[in-house]
Amino acid sequence: AYADFLMAENKPKAAQASFLKSVELDGSNYDVWQKLLNVDWALSDFEGMAKHSDAALELFPNQAALYLLNGTALYMAK
């Protein structure tokens, strides 16, 4: 919830750190992973997005959007 608040306050870097902490504590919530990847995109942190989408794919291999985000991140990071 705090990370969502930070996004509403236009503090994406702080929100990214909060989402990362959340998935470190409990990575079982797909919505949190999705929000983390959205913040990565907003920050143009494509290396982080590739790393985070890889981790999310380990937990949620049936989520097609993660493959798209991972491929996009890898392409943008070159």
Side-chain angles (χ1 to χ4, degrees), residues 22-23 26-35 56 59-60:
S22 180
V23 296
D26 179 14
S28 66
N29 188 332
Y30 175 74
D31 290 333
V32 175
W33 283 103
Q34 187 70 42
K35 289 177 181 181
L59 298 167
F60 307 100

Side-chain angles (χ1 to χ4, degrees), residues 16-68:
Q16 182 186 42
S18 185
F19 282 128
L20 279 170
K21 185 67 171 176
S22 180
V23 296
E24 286 172 8
L25 294 173
D26 179 14
S28 66
N29 188 332
Y30 175 74
D31 290 333
V32 175
W33 283 103
Q34 187 70 42
K35 289 177 181 181
L36 172 60
L37 294 169
N38 289 339
V39 173
D40 290 340
W41 178 267
L43 293 171
S44 297
D45 181 7
F46 301 115
E47 289 180 16
M49 187 175 168
K51 178 182 162 187
H52 302 146
S53 59
D54 277 337
L57 279 167
E58 291 290 321
L59 298 167
F60 307 100
N62 294 332
Q63 293 293 333
L66 293 176
Y67 290 95
L68 175 65

